[in-house]
Amino acid sequence: IAQGANFMETIVQRSLSDGTLRYRAERRINRKNFPAYKESKTFTTKRIAEKWVKKREVEIEDNPIKM
């Protein structure tokens, strides 16, 4: 991607009021001279959340302009 960019991905386990577990995948990219880019999505399993993070990483690297 762009030089001088910082990436951070996090998967946070959340518990709904009925006790159901959900996983929120968060992605943040800081690039010099650009506003911070953030996105997140919630999933039923941690494995699906991890796959989404990897998929988005590839999509953003292939086409950074669409961030």
Side-chain angles (χ1 to χ4, degrees):
I1 244 176
Q3 227 170 352
N6 295 320
F7 306 94
M8 185 173 76
E9 294 106 10
T10 308
I11 297 177
V12 179
Q13 180 177 305
R14 305 196 54 198
S15 181
L16 302 180
S17 59
D18 66 357
T20 306
L21 293 180
R22 293 288 185 259
Y23 298 87
R24 184 176 62 215
E26 302 171 338
R27 165 181 239 16
R28 182 178 174 102
I29 301 171
N30 294 318
R31 296 185 297 165
K32 189 175 180 180
N33 300 323
F34 288 92
Y37 175 77
K38 297 188 290 186
E39 65 182 355
S40 67
K41 194 169 178 181
T42 303
F43 300 92
T44 55
T45 68
K46 187 173 182 179
R47 183 175 176 179
I48 296 172
E50 290 169 345
K51 284 183 179 182
W52 178 80
V53 166
K54 289 178 185 175
K55 177 183 168 217
R56 287 297 295 144
E57 182 177 343
V58 170
E59 290 173 354
I60 291 171
E61 285 179 358
D62 289 345
N63 196 356
I65 302 303
K66 291 204 173 189
M67 271 193 338

